[in-house]
Amino acid sequence: MEYADIIHRCFRCGYCKFTRDYRDFNCPTYRKFWFESYSPGGRMWLLRAWLNGEIPSSQRLAEIFYSCVTCGNCVEHCALEFRENLVNIFVAARKEMVEKGLVPPAVRDYLKGIQTHGNPFKEPRQDRDKWAEGLGIPSYSGQDYLLYAGCVASYDDRGKKIARAVASVLKEAGLSFGILGGDEASDGNEVRVLGEWDLFQMLAEDNIRKFKGLGVKKIIAISPHAYNAFRNDYPPLGGKCEVLHYTQALDQMIENGKLTFSSGKDARVTYHDPCYLGRHNGEFDAPRNILRAIPGVRLTEMDKIKKNALCCGGGGGNFFTDIIGGGEGAPARVRIREAAETGADTLAVACPKCAKMFEDAIKAEALEGTIKVKDIAEIVCEAGKG
Amino acid sequence: MARIIYDALAEIVGKEYVSDRAEELFLYSRDPGTMDPKKPDYVVLPKSVEEVQAILHLANRERIPVVPLGGGLVLSGLSRPLKGGIVLDMKRMNRILDVNEKSRYVVVEAGCSQGMLQAYLNRNYPHLKHSIPDSPPSATIAGNILIHGSGHMSQATGFHSEMLNGLEVVLPTGEVCKIGSCSTTPYWFSRAPLPDLAGLFLGWHGTTGVVTKLAIKLYPNPAKKDVMMFLTENPDYMPDIISKVTGTEMAEDLNVSASQLPDYMEGLQLSLIYVTANTIEEIDFKKRTIRETLRSYINQKEGGFMFVPTIAKGRFIETPLREMTKFADSKKGGGFEYVGAIMPIELFPEAYRKGLEIAAKYETPYSMAVRIIGRAHCMMFAYAYAFNRADDNDRKKAQRALHESNIAALELGGIPWKAEEPAQKLILERMDPETSRLMNRIRAALDPNGIMNPGNWEVK
């Protein structure tokens, strides 16, 4: 297994479980399950034991590895020099499980959906552009930017609303962009982190071929997960484009004076950093800059933000597989409680997966009258322009 | 039978918080040190004192060993279940219950970590602090107190167990007992003036009960912090240097480190003198006073203060010391354990030379660290050995070096701290027989069925 030569180096000191200032456990699975086995250090030791034959393969072992949300909190806070590879090690362990046929049924079903339908919802490919109906968004044909929606924004009802909001704002601001519509395919980020490298490579190479064929030079991604794949995993495979998350594009337009606001709804807003935009790619400012530029929006930060933000629990494939599961300790429920504690009436997000996770959490926590979830693009849509 | 016990535990804590699965049994059978694994039968995560009580009632009924676990960072294997049974991971009981600003104490649950308390005080009571050990932030307050730990205020205030104000303990037979002022008043201000029953639980390695709450002393947290580094090459000077520095009453913490690596540090003893103050004038005065007290060494060119860039100072001042954890990976092997022997200050030169000798014998770079306790009433002299976790021979070699260090410490006149099971036997062999008999009588009275962490402090 890749990284097998370094997994013994984990001391299990536990820095990986915390925020930087140690105020709270911030590994989503550890704080949900409380067994050391669900901490990054526990996984390192279990992985070594498994590879050495000291513990057998089991469904539970697979669940321990597939419950990891790949949020990168451990990478951020581990005290040792191999920290950069922690998430990579867990992904490599999953790869090993894929190769041995040991993945949990929910992971198998996800991968099967991607393999057979090109999306995990098992929806027809030609329905992929239904989210854009009536918006008058052209197909990509050499415009400045390709707007890439991704599976959740293409098929999930909540995600579709976000895609429409992003496209509407970009169009209103006069940006030159097009979409792939029914020709769009999964970016493969979750496929890769679930350990199915061959399928990821196939998806990525297919997308790269398509992008090259169409002359795509610049991509705006709605999902931070797609943004991460295009930015970090496609270049080694030959896919080198300028990639922006849509909040970065909006931030640039605000800075260039192409997007200005005349009015906005009065709202007390707190912002949740998506892991694949924040910790994985270092973008913490663009979403906040947008919120600060909108009249009436008062940004109130949660205790744990930026590199110390708690994951919504939807990363690492868990949005689809839900191996981390529900209950009071579910990360999205913990996080929505933290958001509500700020007194904010709106939790702003910048990821369709986060939006869906938190809306479910609001219902589970009976916080419907207290706080609502809005994507930043939706908040921008509601504001008066010019 | 195992299924019946599992079901009974699940009934007490909820099935999601009990495990008899291979993954948990593997992890909870070992700690990051060198000791051989000992497998539990169950791992249980209680949330309340009532749940702990119910578990102990069950354990007594069924004669099952119970091993309480805090952060699991003792390194010497004290929370390995030597005779199987239940490992009681206390970390779900992690609330900070009360801070008394005026009487300067905090009451916490037993699973509260050092890091969480530190962050809580920083945010809510920045003028107060607790003494933080050099262990990682996941170490628990209770675990460290109960092993007679020490930390960054121990030079000024003694062992962490001396900072204990009171306890709530579930006795081995299941009764909940309060120790200290909290037994008689609503306050947790002190162990005095009552008979000090805390001694029934301090240093016993979980063999006399399960601590569920405790109060520890807090201290003023001056805004200014600095560290001075004094270098010498002759260990014979160290008792005098320690005596002089502590004699100024100006140092909050005093550590000495001696390490073969990096090689430019070989042969040197580095004293880290930590100073805190409320104003620049005060800190300058303290540093000047310390500098002056060591003037004779500087004049004779037998020692000197090291220039330390501000950024480097930050790494030494940080609590807990992240740099300390990095020692575990110094062999790129992820393993590290030390013998921390408590001994009188005057034994420094002999202890130091013994450290060189043992390291040379085991062909490993020497690494020693010393923390001065309670204004030089004694010191914790640590012989540290990194090992490669991927190489079992290397782990066993470190284990042998540690055992030899334990023997050496006892022969010098010290006592190994948080001693491994074999080192406990060494201590008991040398202990006054009436003392060890008294220990046995106390244990028999408190724990008639012998369920609490059996195999530790055990005299046949």
Side-chain angles (χ1 to χ4, degrees):
Chain A
M1 194 200 86
E2 200 180 359
Y3 307 108
D5 56 333
I6 56 172
I7 51 174
H8 66 279
R9 290 172 61 188
C10 170
F11 180 60
R12 214 144 62 76
C13 58
Y15 277 94
C16 54
K17 293 193 275 194
F18 283 95
T19 54
R20 181 62 182 88
D21 69 356
Y22 321 127
R23 71 177 59 185
D24 204 355
F25 289 122
N26 213 39
C27 167
T29 50
Y30 178 69
R31 61 172 301 148
K32 163 106 199 299
F33 296 102
W34 290 100
F35 284 110
E36 290 295 325
S37 31
Y38 285 87
S39 71
R43 285 193 181 94
M44 292 285 275
W45 282 38
L46 287 177
L47 175 56
R48 184 164 165 259
W50 180 55
L51 294 175
N52 288 346
E54 292 174 85
I55 54 168
S57 300
S58 70
Q59 198 59 41
R60 181 174 173 83
L61 184 70
E63 284 169 7
I64 286 170
F65 276 91
Y66 277 99
S67 63
C68 170
V69 292
T70 65
C71 68
N73 183 73
C74 52
V75 173
E76 200 57 52
H77 303 302
C78 167
L80 299 174
E81 66 179 31
F82 55 81
R83 54 187 260 189
E84 291 299 331
N85 281 319
L86 280 173
V87 168
N88 296 337
I89 290 168
F90 303 142
V91 170
R94 291 171 169 192
K95 190 165 174 253
E96 199 74 7
M97 289 178 171
V98 167
E99 285 166 8
K100 290 184 162 67
L102 297 171
V103 300
V107 175
R108 181 199 59 210
D109 292 348
Y110 172 87
L111 296 171
K112 196 172 177 182
I114 297 282
Q115 181 74 264
T116 57
H117 290 75
N119 68 78
F121 299 94
K122 297 180 182 165
E123 293 287 338
R125 193 160 180 154
Q126 61 269 24
D127 289 353
R128 205 166 173 110
D129 59 355
K130 280 197 169 168
W131 65 269
E133 273 177 2
L135 292 179
I137 310 294
S139 293
Y140 183 83
S141 58
Q143 293 93 331
D144 290 348
Y145 290 93
L146 166 69
L147 177 64
Y148 179 86
C151 294
V152 177
S154 297
Y155 292 110
D156 177 79
D157 286 343
R158 184 67 186 93
K160 283 194 238 179
K161 288 181 190 164
I162 293 170
R164 289 178 70 83
V166 173
S168 300
V169 174
L170 294 178
K171 189 179 175 198
E172 198 179 346
L175 192 82
S176 162
F177 72 98
I179 58 175
L180 293 176
D183 285 337
E184 189 182 279
S186 167
D187 52 85
N189 191 66
E190 311 312 278
V191 174
R192 184 186 66 79
V193 299
L194 286 168
E196 217 326 351
W197 175 259
D198 291 342
L199 181 56
F200 165 72
Q201 195 167 357
M202 194 178 78
L203 289 166
E205 286 174 353
D206 192 46
N207 280 330
I208 291 166
R209 222 177 356 257
K210 201 178 302 168
F211 296 162
K212 281 184 176 168
L214 289 167
V216 174
K217 298 277 190 296
K218 295 193 268 191
I219 302 173
I220 295 174
I222 292 176
S223 162
H225 298 246
Y227 168 70
N228 178 69
F230 295 152
R231 187 169 184 258
N232 299 315
D233 301 317
Y234 279 37
L237 299 172
K240 289 180 184 165
C241 289
E242 183 187 324
V243 188
L244 293 175
H245 182 249
Y246 85 84
T247 55
Q248 294 172 318
L250 295 185
D251 185 35
Q252 283 180 11
M253 286 192 279
I254 290 169
E255 202 173 315
N256 297 336
K258 290 179 182 162
L259 180 61
T260 56
F261 301 100
S262 55
S263 64
K265 282 187 182 171
D266 269 353
R268 193 164 174 192
V269 177
T270 190
Y271 170 67
H272 168 75
D273 292 278
C275 302
Y276 276 97
L277 184 62
R279 260 190 299 260
H280 283 277
N281 287 292
E283 182 55 83
F284 302 107
D285 295 334
R288 289 178 171 80
N289 292 343
I290 298 166
L291 291 169
R292 288 195 187 100
I294 301 172
V297 168
R298 284 163 294 147
L299 181 61
T300 308
E301 295 282 14
M302 286 182 270
D303 263 358
K304 296 185 294 186
I305 59 168
K306 300 183 179 178
K307 289 179 178 177
N308 295 301
L310 176 67
C311 175
C312 73
N318 272 276
F319 178 82
F320 301 102
T321 61
D322 197 25
I323 289 170
I324 196 167
E328 273 186 24
R333 289 183 62 176
V334 176
R335 190 63 168 161
I336 201 69
R337 291 198 294 270
E338 291 174 357
E341 278 168 18
T342 66
D345 53 49
T346 304
L347 172 62
V349 296
C351 170
K353 290 188 176 94
C354 293
K356 178 93 172 165
M357 297 294 290
F358 289 131
E359 290 197 342
D360 290 348
I362 283 177
K363 288 177 201 149
E365 289 285 315
L367 286 170
E368 287 96 335
T370 308
I371 193 164
K372 55 191 170 298
V373 177
K374 284 186 184 174
D375 191 89
I376 286 181
E378 294 172 323
I379 297 172
V380 170
C381 267
E382 290 170 359
K385 316 293 187 309
Chain B
M1 190 60 192
R3 181 46 50 179
I4 292 169
I5 291 166
Y6 176 91
D7 289 343
L9 289 167
E11 183 72 23
I12 294 167
V13 296
K15 66 178 176 3
E16 62 271 47
Y17 298 120
V18 56
S19 175
D20 60 355
R21 306 297 297 267
E23 294 78 17
E24 280 74 39
L25 301 191
F26 174 86
L27 272 180
Y28 286 84
S29 67
R30 60 202 71 217
D31 77 5
T34 63
M35 300 306 288
D36 299 339
K38 298 284 180 184
K39 201 173 259 191
D41 298 301
Y42 314 93
V43 181
V44 183
L45 313 176
K47 181 69 180 166
S48 67
V49 64
E50 292 78 14
E51 289 180 4
V52 174
Q53 275 186 289
I55 292 164
L56 289 185
H57 284 308
L58 171 72
N60 268 293
R61 259 196 326 272
E62 304 296 342
R63 304 287 195 270
I64 311 167
V66 175
V67 180
L69 172 76
L73 289 159
V74 75
L75 305 186
S76 51
L78 298 180
S79 51
R80 293 170 308 142
L82 300 178
K83 298 185 179 176
I86 298 166
V87 169
L88 213 53
D89 182 337
M90 301 296 288
K91 287 190 285 296
R92 283 180 71 219
M93 294 178 66
N94 64 0
R95 290 178 301 163
I96 296 164
L97 299 168
D98 183 32
V99 172
N100 185 319
E101 273 186 276
K102 291 295 174 223
S103 294
R104 292 195 182 120
Y105 65 78
V106 59
V107 185
V108 299
E109 287 187 317
C112 177
S113 69
Q114 300 284 345
M116 280 185 178
L117 178 60
Q118 181 186 10
Y120 182 83
L121 293 174
N122 282 344
R123 273 187 299 155
N124 300 293
Y125 302 92
H127 54 292
L128 293 174
K129 65 178 175 180
H130 74 294
S131 180
I132 296 168
D134 286 335
S135 49
S138 48
T140 59
I141 305 283
N144 186 266
I145 295 273
L146 294 174
I147 57 167
H148 290 301
S150 56
H152 82 292
M153 294 188 71
S154 287
Q155 194 294 121
T157 54
F159 288 105
H160 285 169
S161 45
E162 295 173 56
M163 304 177 199
L164 177 71
N165 277 5
L167 293 169
E168 177 191 84
V169 190
V170 181
L171 299 178
T173 39
E175 301 87 352
V176 179
C177 187
K178 289 187 171 174
I179 308 292
S181 61
C182 65
S183 68
T184 310
T185 84
Y187 301 101
W188 294 64
F189 55 85
S190 170
R191 281 145 64 183
L194 302 170
D196 193 1
L197 298 174
L200 294 173
F201 307 97
L202 295 168
W204 286 85
H205 305 336
T207 59
T208 51
V210 180
V211 169
T212 46
K213 291 186 188 79
L214 68 161
I216 60 164
K217 294 184 199 319
L218 300 175
Y219 299 88
N221 186 19
K224 312 285 177 201
K225 296 176 176 63
D226 205 346
V227 58
M228 306 168 74
M229 298 189 190
F230 189 77
L231 280 168
T232 48
E233 305 191 86
N234 186 343
D236 292 328
Y237 295 148
M238 284 314 303
D240 183 56
I241 290 169
I242 292 166
S243 183
K244 280 192 159 73
V245 173
T246 54
T248 64
E249 297 274 21
M250 298 290 163
E252 186 171 277
D253 190 12
L254 173 55
N255 297 327
V256 185
S257 89
S259 179
Q260 198 167 343
L261 295 174
D263 52 10
Y264 55 81
M265 292 299 284
E266 186 175 357
L268 298 172
Q269 298 92 47
L270 173 66
S271 299
L272 296 154
I273 307 163
Y274 292 84
V275 183
T276 59
N278 289 305
T279 63
I280 290 171
E281 292 75 20
E282 186 188 351
I283 209 159
D284 284 347
F285 170 75
K286 286 185 170 179
K287 284 163 68 179
R288 212 165 44 244
T289 307
I290 290 167
R291 202 175 288 275
E292 279 312 306
T293 199
L294 296 174
R295 175 65 62 194
S296 60
Y297 288 98
I298 298 168
N299 290 344
Q300 291 162 32
K301 301 197 185 313
E302 295 287 0
F305 283 94
M306 208 173 130
F307 168 74
V308 190
T310 310
I311 192 157
K313 273 190 182 179
R315 282 205 286 272
F316 286 100
I317 289 173
E318 182 182 24
T319 48
L321 271 176
R322 285 171 81 86
E323 293 296 312
M324 188 71 85
T325 298
K326 292 179 182 170
F327 182 72
D329 201 36
S330 58
K331 280 185 158 184
K332 296 201 185 309
F336 148 58
E337 193 185 329
Y338 63 95
V339 165
I342 311 299
M343 56 175 74
I345 301 293
E346 61 269 29
L347 295 182
F348 189 107
E350 285 170 82
Y352 175 89
R353 291 191 175 97
K354 200 70 199 173
L356 301 186
E357 191 184 310
I358 296 170
K361 179 177 170 186
Y362 287 91
E363 297 173 326
T364 188
Y366 71 81
S367 183
M368 291 172 269
V370 180
R371 167 159 270 135
I372 308 307
I373 311 283
R375 295 178 168 89
H377 293 128
C378 61
M379 62 182 170
M380 188 277 292
F381 198 109
Y383 303 97
Y385 303 99
F387 63 92
N388 183 353
R389 200 176 296 285
D391 176 355
D392 209 43
N393 287 330
D394 200 44
R395 176 184 71 91
K396 285 184 174 152
K397 188 171 87 170
Q399 201 181 67
R400 289 193 298 275
L402 288 158
H403 193 64
E404 194 161 329
S405 304
N406 278 318
I407 292 169
L410 280 161
E411 285 174 350
L412 284 168
I415 302 172
W417 167 49
K418 55 175 176 163
E420 300 90 349
E421 178 211 2
Q424 290 170 30
K425 290 191 167 64
L426 295 174
I427 295 169
L428 288 167
E429 280 165 21
R430 287 161 174 78
M431 190 180 273
D432 182 312
E434 285 306 328
T435 311
S436 53
R437 266 196 286 276
L438 177 61
M439 284 174 69
N440 271 356
R441 283 161 61 194
I442 289 168
R443 270 183 86 169
L446 285 173
D447 184 13
N449 293 317
I451 61 164
M452 290 307 306
N453 207 358
N456 283 282
W457 286 139
E458 212 160 72
V459 194
K460 294 287 175 221

